Amino acid sequence: MSDELVPPGLDTSKAHPARRYNYWLGGKDHFAADRESGDLLERHHPSVRLTARENRAFLQRAVHHLAAEAGIDQFLDIGTGLPTADNTHEVAQRINPRSRVVYVDNDPMVGVHARALLTSTPEGRTCYLQEDLRNPEEILGDPQLKEILDLDRPVALMLIAVLHFIADHQEAREVVAHLVGALPSGSYLAASNFTLDYTPPEQAAVALDMIAKGQSDAHPRTREQFGDFFSGLELIGPGIVPVSDWLSPVPAGQRPTAAQVAIYGAVGRKP
Ligand SMILES: C[S@@+](CC[C@H](N)C(=O)[O-])C[C@H]1O[C@@H](n2cnc3c(N)ncnc32)[C@H](O)[C@@H]1O
């Protein structure tokens, strides 16, 4: 960790998803515990850095598509992550400078960095809320969110690589249903979630054992479980696919394999 943007009281002795993901992406905002956890997970899933990059590229393609093709100019990005290149508002505002983005994360370190770095174009708006995805009522009722997003107009809800931190599938389904339920027709859900569907059984057993031992906090979902999040929505593009296959500009034979990527992505429209 190289700069002074560390909130007081932050427990740096425990690995946190935002900082571990930053480590995998080659960023500089992580501590020893995050690196140790990142290295441990990488030993069992050697392509994890590729997974992180592919997931990030999916987020950017999804935002680009929603802004450029679907005319979306409002985004609610929950599980923001530490700011890196081409964050949601940068991709959206390059297409429409008036785009508005509300970022939400539960890591105080993301909060400090996001408030400093996720700054809007003059024509658009961004804000950051320190909140937990598991509290959709608080997120939707936040006065800052209401000031920035018009919930009578379509919004893209971004839940990219964050749902797998909610262990209980039913709880995750309810959270998504609550958030999507609050958005008007013409809104979108873009999401991704870790999966073991393509992982060889022995390696999958190790991954599950690591979760049971508290060494991993990313909960895999099958294709069917991931599809539950899109219940009642119309999937666009290729549907539910490994993130590297979602409207990828890379020819099919040259993309990473589903086993390497191990994370599903999809985008759905609320009818
Ligand atoms: C793997 S990063 C993904 C960042 C970004 N969405 C992306 O895909 O590039 C996961 C982010 O979700 C946040 N997160 C994890 N659990 C959360 C929760 N229950 N509520 C809000 N944010 C959460 C972490 O702090 C981290 O910033």
Side-chain angles (χ1 to χ4, degrees):
M1 182 69 211
S2 61
D3 66 33
E4 70 291 349
L5 293 175
V6 180
L10 186 87
D11 181 0
T12 60
S13 69
K14 278 200 207 123
H16 192 282
R19 293 168 243 147
R20 191 175 54 213
Y21 184 66
N22 179 267
Y23 173 56
W24 286 332
L25 285 174
K28 56 181 175 50
D29 303 316
H30 39 76
F31 300 98
D34 307 307
R35 294 189 286 276
E36 274 161 32
S37 165
D39 290 343
L40 178 68
L41 293 177
E42 189 174 12
R43 280 200 285 284
H44 294 282
H45 177 52
S47 55
V48 73
R49 288 168 192 263
L50 175 93
T51 301
R53 289 197 302 274
E54 289 293 330
N55 177 68
R56 190 75 196 166
F58 164 67
L59 177 150
Q60 291 157 351
R61 287 200 301 280
V63 173
H64 185 279
H65 182 87
L66 291 168
E69 308 297 329
I72 292 290
D73 60 2
Q74 307 194 95
F75 294 81
L76 174 54
D77 182 343
I78 308 180
T80 304
L82 285 153
T84 170
D86 280 347
N87 303 292
T88 296
H89 76 286
E90 286 154 335
V91 178
Q93 291 184 345
R94 267 206 297 274
I95 293 153
N96 179 354
R98 300 177 68 83
S99 301
R100 293 171 165 239
V101 180
V102 172
Y103 288 110
V104 183
D105 205 284
N106 70 351
D107 181 357
M109 204 164 104
V110 171
V112 174
H113 285 250
R115 288 192 182 99
L117 299 173
L118 297 179
T119 48
S120 176
T121 54
E123 304 93 322
R125 294 284 298 275
T126 58
C127 82
Y128 174 81
L129 312 180
Q130 186 74 39
E131 223 356 305
D132 197 291
L133 171 61
R134 285 165 292 196
N135 301 328
E137 196 85 59
E138 279 74 5
I139 294 173
L140 293 166
D142 190 285
Q144 280 192 86
L145 179 144
K146 289 184 178 167
E147 202 190 305
I148 292 197
L149 300 182
D150 175 358
L151 296 186
D152 292 328
R153 292 181 52 241
V155 173
L157 171 63
M158 311 292 300
L159 296 175
I160 310 292
V162 63
L163 286 166
H164 48 224
F165 298 114
I166 300 183
D168 185 80
H169 186 57
Q170 190 52 31
E171 184 184 10
R173 282 188 74 167
E174 283 168 14
V175 163
V176 176
H178 190 134
L179 289 166
V180 172
L183 304 179
S185 161
S187 293
Y188 287 83
L189 166 66
S192 66
N193 198 110
F194 169 53
T195 185
L196 290 171
D197 281 1
Y198 304 95
T199 305
E202 316 80 69
Q203 206 183 327
V206 174
L208 294 173
D209 189 49
M210 288 176 77
I211 294 172
K213 287 181 180 150
Q215 293 172 329
S216 171
D217 48 8
H219 296 268
R221 295 206 154 87
T222 62
R223 191 177 194 285
E224 192 185 345
Q225 287 174 322
F226 184 62
D228 289 341
F229 298 137
F230 292 87
S231 155
L233 305 183
E234 297 158 350
L235 293 172
I236 64 164
I240 295 173
V241 287
V243 286
S244 45
D245 289 335
W246 199 88
L247 297 190
S248 173
V250 179
Q254 295 168 32
R255 297 177 202 149
T257 65
Q260 284 173 314
V261 174
I263 183 161
Y264 279 128
V267 178
R269 180 180 184 277
K270 185 170 177 177

